[in-house]
Amino acid sequence: MPTKAQVVAAQQKQQTQPSSTETSPTSKRILRSNSIVKTTASRGAQAAPKPIRILLCNPNSTASMTRACVDMVLPTLSSNVVLVGCTALEPAPSAIEGKFDDVMSAAVAVQGILQHANQFDAFLIACYSDHALIRMLREELSQPVCGIMEASLFAARTLGTRFGIIASGPRSRYTLEDTVRSSGFGNFCVGVRSCELGVLGLKERPRDEVLRIVGQVGKELVGDGADVILLGCAGMADLKSAVEEAVGEDVQVIDGVVAGVHHLIGLCRMGVKTAKKGAYASSAAARQKRGQDWL
């Protein structure tokens, strides 16, 4: 049997320990801390969100393609996001299907964009390629700049293990394959398949024919092992549902225009800018010293 001293010691120990219905000083501090965090988060959620203005830049001169891109994105935007579409003027090519078109379109588009750049928080280049305009604007501006191809690649790596790209024409297949590899995504790509329609053919050919062809190409990429399908042209923005129907609900279909806009919205909300320490340092000051202030 315990001695009287042992019983008293046990009673004293029980009195010094909090019961199951009491809260220790430490747990009280934790609760107060959690309460403060919740209050702060709640206030932040109630505050009016900062307006975000994004310029969607179509570097070719086909205005109908710009409108289709904007129309595709608008239903997905919150009320504080303003999306403005701009189309390059002639002599920009009506479609961009090679390096010459790429450079010509960038040279035309950049001059108009820079005139209005201070009105926008971010810029999306709506050409499914490693378009020259992306790096040109990153050098000249501090606001985030993104291309629709790179945005779709980021999304694909998040949503699946292997992706495939539907290209608009046979030539773009090679350039897209090169860009996938140079961007570091080659190990995750099952391939690029062309729908053989061309950029403008996506709109000019009979609608039923276009839907059938892109759906079939999507299914072929799934057969190659893709669980994510990327629409490899800004002109495919309105074909997403047809490809989704063809490949089934277990496969994700990504439109780079929508992915790009929301990627930029996230960067704007983070409050980040283009880094100017390295390759994206502007050469504007050097041009001015040379008397070349024509931009």
Side-chain angles (χ1 to χ4, degrees):
M1 291 182 63
T3 65
K4 183 177 181 180
Q6 289 174 326
V7 172
V8 171
Q11 291 175 342
Q12 290 175 342
K13 184 177 181 181
Q14 289 177 348
Q15 291 172 355
T16 58
Q17 291 179 339
S19 67
S20 60
T21 58
E22 293 177 339
T23 306
S24 68
T26 302
S27 62
K28 284 183 179 179
R29 285 197 296 272
I30 293 173
L31 289 175
R32 285 199 296 269
S33 176
N34 285 342
S35 177
I36 292 172
V37 171
K38 290 178 181 178
T39 302
T40 304
S42 176
R43 288 176 180 171
Q46 293 174 0
K50 178 184 176 182
I52 297 173
R53 291 179 58 85
I54 296 176
L55 185 65
L56 185 152
C57 315
N58 175 13
N60 71 39
S61 58
T62 304
S64 60
M65 192 176 297
T66 309
R67 289 193 295 270
C69 289
V70 172
D71 290 343
M72 184 72 180
V73 181
L74 285 180
T76 72
L77 300 180
S78 57
S79 59
N80 70 308
V81 178
V82 177
L83 180 65
V84 177
C86 73
T87 307
L89 301 176
E90 294 182 349
S94 58
I96 300 170
E97 297 181 314
K99 285 297 182 183
F100 190 89
D101 293 338
D102 181 306
V103 174
M104 288 292 292
S105 63
V108 174
V110 70
Q111 299 191 48
I113 293 169
L114 291 181
Q115 293 177 20
H116 306 282
N118 60 357
Q119 301 176 26
F120 297 94
D121 301 297
F123 302 84
L124 180 67
I125 310 307
C127 178
Y128 203 89
S129 67
D130 183 19
H131 198 278
L133 188 58
I134 299 170
R135 287 174 174 77
M136 291 171 71
L137 292 180
R138 283 176 179 165
E139 287 185 10
E140 294 302 301
L141 305 175
S142 61
Q143 301 98 309
V145 181
C146 183
I148 61 174
M149 181 176 183
E150 61 182 340
S152 73
L153 293 174
F154 298 150
R157 286 296 297 123
T158 303
L159 299 176
T161 58
R162 296 291 185 274
F163 65 85
I165 303 177
I166 303 176
S168 58
R171 186 177 179 183
S172 61
R173 171 188 169 188
Y174 303 112
T175 58
L176 296 184
E177 287 176 344
D178 290 346
T179 301
V180 168
R181 283 192 293 268
S182 64
S183 301
F185 292 92
N187 290 339
F188 311 102
C189 182
V190 303
V192 180
R193 286 182 176 265
S194 171
C195 62
E196 308 291 335
L197 294 171
V199 175
L200 299 181
L202 293 168
K203 305 300 179 185
E204 295 173 351
R205 299 278 283 273
R207 179 73 173 176
D208 291 345
E209 179 185 2
V210 173
L211 296 178
R212 176 182 57 79
I213 292 174
V214 296
Q216 179 59 36
V217 174
K219 287 194 289 187
E220 291 171 359
L221 288 167
V222 172
D224 294 334
D227 54 5
V228 180
I229 302 298
L230 309 184
L231 303 180
C233 179
M236 294 181 183
D238 59 347
L239 304 178
K240 181 173 181 284
S241 58
V243 179
E244 287 175 330
E245 183 178 353
V247 300
E249 62 181 10
D250 289 337
V251 177
Q252 293 299 300
V253 179
I254 297 175
D255 167 40
V257 178
V258 175
V261 169
H262 286 279
H263 178 67
L264 289 171
I265 290 172
L267 293 177
C268 289
R269 287 177 174 162
M270 290 168 62
V272 295
K273 297 181 179 180
T274 300
K276 295 297 181 179
K277 181 67 174 178
Y280 293 141
S282 175
S283 59
R287 288 197 306 271
Q288 290 176 356
K289 286 183 179 180
R290 299 193 300 265
Q292 298 172 336
D293 54 353
W294 26 261
L295 281 181

